[in-house]
CSV table of all heavy atoms in Angstrom, one decimal:
chain,number,residue,atom,x,y,z
A,11,PRO,N,-59.2,20.5,-21.8
A,11,PRO,CA,-58.7,19.7,-22.8
A,11,PRO,C,-59.9,19.1,-23.6
A,11,PRO,O,-60.9,18.7,-23.0
A,11,PRO,CB,-58.0,18.6,-22.1
A,11,PRO,CG,-57.6,19.2,-20.8
A,11,PRO,CD,-58.7,20.2,-20.5
A,12,PRO,N,-59.8,18.9,-25.0
A,12,PRO,CA,-60.9,18.5,-25.8
A,12,PRO,C,-61.4,17.1,-25.4
A,12,PRO,O,-62.6,16.9,-25.5
A,12,PRO,CB,-60.2,18.4,-27.2
A,12,PRO,CG,-59.1,19.4,-27.2
A,12,PRO,CD,-58.6,19.3,-25.7
A,13,GLU,N,-60.6,16.2,-24.9
A,13,GLU,CA,-61.1,14.9,-24.5
A,13,GLU,C,-62.0,14.9,-23.3
A,13,GLU,O,-62.7,14.0,-23.0
A,13,GLU,CB,-59.9,13.9,-24.2
A,13,GLU,CG,-58.9,14.4,-23.2
A,13,GLU,CD,-57.8,15.2,-23.7
A,13,GLU,OE1,-57.9,15.8,-24.7
A,13,GLU,OE2,-56.7,15.1,-23.1
A,14,LEU,N,-62.1,16.1,-22.6
A,14,LEU,CA,-62.9,16.2,-21.4
A,14,LEU,C,-64.3,16.8,-21.8
A,14,LEU,O,-65.2,16.7,-21.0
A,14,LEU,CB,-62.3,17.1,-20.3
A,14,LEU,CG,-61.0,16.6,-19.8
A,14,LEU,CD1,-60.5,17.6,-18.7
A,14,LEU,CD2,-61.1,15.2,-19.3
A,15,ASN,N,-64.5,17.3,-23.0
A,15,ASN,CA,-65.7,18.0,-23.4
A,15,ASN,C,-66.9,17.1,-23.3
A,15,ASN,O,-68.0,17.6,-23.0
A,15,ASN,CB,-65.6,18.6,-24.7
A,15,ASN,CG,-64.7,19.9,-24.7
A,15,ASN,OD1,-64.5,20.5,-23.6
A,15,ASN,ND2,-64.1,20.2,-25.8
A,16,ALA,N,-66.8,15.8,-23.7
A,16,ALA,CA,-68.0,14.9,-23.7
A,16,ALA,C,-68.2,14.2,-22.4
A,16,ALA,O,-69.2,13.5,-22.2
A,16,ALA,CB,-67.8,13.9,-24.8
A,17,MET,N,-67.4,14.5,-21.4
A,17,MET,CA,-67.5,13.8,-20.1
A,17,MET,C,-68.6,14.3,-19.2
A,17,MET,O,-68.8,15.5,-19.2
A,17,MET,CB,-66.2,13.9,-19.4
A,17,MET,CG,-65.0,13.1,-20.0
A,17,MET,SD,-63.6,13.3,-19.0
A,17,MET,CE,-62.4,12.4,-19.9
A,18,SER,N,-69.2,13.4,-18.5
A,18,SER,CA,-70.0,13.8,-17.4
A,18,SER,C,-69.7,12.8,-16.3
A,18,SER,O,-69.4,11.7,-16.5
A,18,SER,CB,-71.5,13.8,-17.8
A,18,SER,OG,-71.9,12.5,-18.1
A,19,GLY,N,-69.8,13.3,-15.0
A,19,GLY,CA,-69.4,12.4,-13.9
A,19,GLY,C,-67.9,12.1,-13.9
A,19,GLY,O,-67.2,12.5,-14.8
A,20,GLY,N,-67.5,11.5,-12.9
A,20,GLY,CA,-66.1,11.0,-12.8
A,20,GLY,C,-65.1,12.1,-12.4
A,20,GLY,O,-65.5,13.2,-12.1
A,21,ILE,N,-63.8,11.7,-12.4
A,21,ILE,CA,-62.7,12.6,-12.0
A,21,ILE,C,-61.7,12.6,-13.1
A,21,ILE,O,-61.3,11.5,-13.6
A,21,ILE,CB,-62.1,12.0,-10.7
A,21,ILE,CG1,-63.1,11.9,-9.6
A,21,ILE,CG2,-60.9,12.8,-10.3
A,21,ILE,CD1,-62.6,11.2,-8.4
A,22,SER,N,-61.2,13.7,-13.5
A,22,SER,CA,-60.0,13.8,-14.3
A,22,SER,C,-58.9,14.6,-13.6
A,22,SER,O,-59.2,15.5,-12.8
A,22,SER,CB,-60.4,14.5,-15.7
A,22,SER,OG,-60.9,15.8,-15.4
A,23,ILE,N,-57.7,14.2,-13.8
A,23,ILE,CA,-56.6,14.7,-13.1
A,23,ILE,C,-55.5,15.2,-14.1
A,23,ILE,O,-55.1,14.3,-14.9
A,23,ILE,CB,-56.0,13.7,-12.1
A,23,ILE,CG1,-57.0,13.3,-11.1
A,23,ILE,CG2,-54.7,14.3,-11.5
A,23,ILE,CD1,-56.6,12.1,-10.2
Side-chain angles (χ1 to χ4, degrees):
E13 58 269 28
L14 300 182
N15 287 334
M17 293 181 181
S18 64
I21 300 169
S22 59
I23 299 169

